[in-house]
Amino acid sequence: MRHVNSTCSIPGENSDLLGSTFPRSPVAPFEFFRKEGLGPSGSGLDPDKHAISWCYRFEWPWETDPQPVSGSEALSVKWFGASQLPAELWPGTAQLVEQTTASKYLAETYAAISSQADTHNALMWQTPVLAMTAQAFLLTIGLGSGISPMARLAAAGLSLVVSILSIQLMLKHSAMQLRDHIALEDIERRRGMAIYHVKPILSGTGLKAWLTRQRSREWWLAGMATFGFVSLMIAVVSALKVFS
């Protein structure tokens, strides 16, 4: 607010409006280094000092364009589209503008993606639970005593179909959840948040530690595939009896 007041001429009656509309929190940090190449690609350059700038995004609340304060460091003040900046800018300026404007809706986006990731996670693990329930019923028929070969064939065929559908559905939800976690990790890094959505680093030895490091999704997919293989074998044996 101090910098806006010292750079742009704001009528006195609008001072309260500036105070009530100016954001209280920055949207992104940006770093300036003494020499090019000291920081990451796209970093700013400030030969006088190593500086960290907290970037604020402020929507100009007045219909009139801002004018520079007489005697201030600004020679003129003009509007530019974020995607139409001049080619020659002070090193780091383009990256600063892109980073600040791109994060306009990051908080809302993060909340939406996080909720979506939770939904995909719940749906992904509901799939094997429901599949196991259906498999138990169908395999009871397929392996039960006193069941006609035709009934065994029908039950085993349905069990095989359930296995295939469950594997496909679990893979789909898993892929969507992975996509969400990648997006959440990217937002966490861009906003300087604690990086939570990454694969945990698990250490230790022994059977318990080894089991903990395994990917549960792969184990469940293998389990559902095993159910499908057993169902296929039952269907083949039953079909041989039916058509022999």
Side-chain angles (χ1 to χ4, degrees):
M1 289 178 62
R2 178 192 58 78
H3 193 68
V4 171
N5 273 307
S6 64
T7 304
C8 301
S9 178
I10 298 175
E13 61 268 19
N14 290 326
S15 298
D16 292 340
L17 180 57
L18 174 63
S20 62
T21 57
F22 198 84
R24 299 306 177 194
S25 300
V27 296
F30 195 80
E31 214 163 352
F32 294 83
F33 295 87
R34 290 179 179 269
K35 296 181 181 179
E36 292 188 25
L38 291 180
S41 176
S43 298
L45 176 65
D46 189 338
D48 295 330
K49 59 185 177 299
H50 174 209
I52 297 177
S53 174
W54 285 102
C55 305
Y56 291 80
R57 184 181 57 252
F58 172 55
E59 296 184 8
W60 191 254
W62 302 289
E63 295 182 359
T64 57
D65 291 343
Q67 300 297 323
V69 173
S70 178
S72 69
E73 62 181 2
L75 300 179
S76 63
V77 178
K78 297 181 180 180
W79 292 112
F80 291 90
S83 61
Q84 300 173 332
L85 296 177
E88 295 184 2
L89 294 172
W90 185 262
T93 303
Q95 180 73 10
L96 183 151
V97 172
E98 179 183 356
Q99 180 174 313
T100 306
T101 56
S103 60
K104 181 175 183 179
Y105 299 109
L106 283 186
E108 297 87 342
T109 302
Y110 188 88
I113 297 178
S114 181
S115 176
Q116 181 175 266
D118 291 341
T119 300
H120 287 152
N121 184 66
L123 291 174
M124 180 178 66
W125 292 114
Q126 283 178 8
T127 300
V129 172
L130 296 175
M132 293 302 113
T133 303
Q135 295 285 15
F137 173 74
L138 293 171
L139 290 181
T140 298
I141 299 175
L143 298 173
S145 59
I147 305 297
S148 67
M150 182 58 73
R152 291 181 190 276
L153 177 60
L158 289 174
S159 179
L160 177 60
V161 171
V162 169
S163 295
I164 296 173
L165 293 177
S166 301
I167 290 173
Q168 188 276 335
L169 186 59
M170 191 173 183
L171 285 172
K172 185 70 171 289
H173 286 309
S174 177
M176 296 175 76
Q177 188 196 38
L178 177 61
R179 178 202 62 186
D180 293 340
H181 276 216
I182 292 174
L184 291 171
E185 180 189 351
D186 177 64
I187 295 176
E188 288 167 351
R189 295 186 184 280
R190 291 168 63 184
R191 299 193 72 195
M193 301 167 60
I195 309 303
Y196 178 78
H197 289 89
V198 292
K199 185 178 180 180
I201 300 176
L202 303 173
S203 59
T205 58
L207 179 60
K208 182 179 180 181
W210 181 81
L211 288 172
T212 304
R213 287 194 294 269
Q214 303 308 303
R215 294 177 63 88
S216 300
R217 279 174 285 195
E218 295 178 359
W219 282 56
W220 274 96
L221 289 169
M224 288 189 289
T226 303
F227 272 92
F229 178 76
V230 172
S231 300
L232 178 61
M233 294 300 99
I234 296 173
V236 170
V237 173
S238 300
L240 292 175
K241 291 183 179 181
V242 170
F243 301 106
S244 60

